[in-house]
Amino acid sequence: MISIESIQSKASKMLVAVWFAGLIYYSWRAKETPAALPMWEYAVVAIVGMFVVSILIGAILTALAAGVTRVATGQIDGSPHAYAWAAFAAPILAFFTAGYVVAFLG
């Protein structure tokens, strides 16, 4: 069975990669509108957002997975299955969060 640490490590790498992919996608879509951001703002949003989104989304989904496991099974240490589902949802949330950030700044 895969360890929880391995799941979280892979999820955090994927979350950061998808954050950049979301920024690129939504920024590319914003190029057709006059609200495109300057390049230095994209750099700030990419670097700061990478840390903030990774910490916020990761912490929230990890706590949710631990809470659901504790309520459902009574185990304190958590279930790899719940963490795997949280790891699956984290990049999806990061992608759409990038869209909201670009729309908010533009």
Side-chain angles (χ1 to χ4, degrees), residues 19 22-23 26 49 53 57 90-104:
W19 168 254
L23 283 178
Y26 287 110
V53 167
I57 290 177
I92 296 169
L93 289 174
F95 184 81
F96 290 115
T97 302
Y100 287 116
V101 169
V102 169
F104 176 74

Side-chain angles (χ1 to χ4, degrees), residues 1-95:
M1 184 175 294
I2 297 175
S3 69
I4 293 172
E5 291 81 19
S6 173
I7 292 170
Q8 289 176 339
S9 172
K10 290 177 184 178
S12 65
K13 292 173 188 172
M14 198 61 165
L15 193 139
V16 170
V18 172
W19 168 254
F20 285 124
L23 283 178
I24 291 168
Y25 175 75
Y26 287 110
S27 300
W28 173 72
R29 283 189 48 202
K31 292 287 184 194
E32 297 152 13
T33 64
L37 299 174
M39 196 56 121
W40 68 271
E41 287 184 14
Y42 282 124
V44 170
V45 167
I47 293 169
V48 172
M50 173 180 63
F51 292 111
V52 171
V53 167
S54 178
I55 291 168
L56 284 179
I57 290 177
I60 290 169
L61 289 180
T62 299
L64 184 66
V68 167
T69 301
R70 188 172 205 172
V71 168
T73 64
Q75 295 178 349
I76 296 173
D77 55 349
S79 167
H81 301 292
Y83 286 111
W85 277 106
F88 175 75
I92 296 169
L93 289 174
F95 184 81

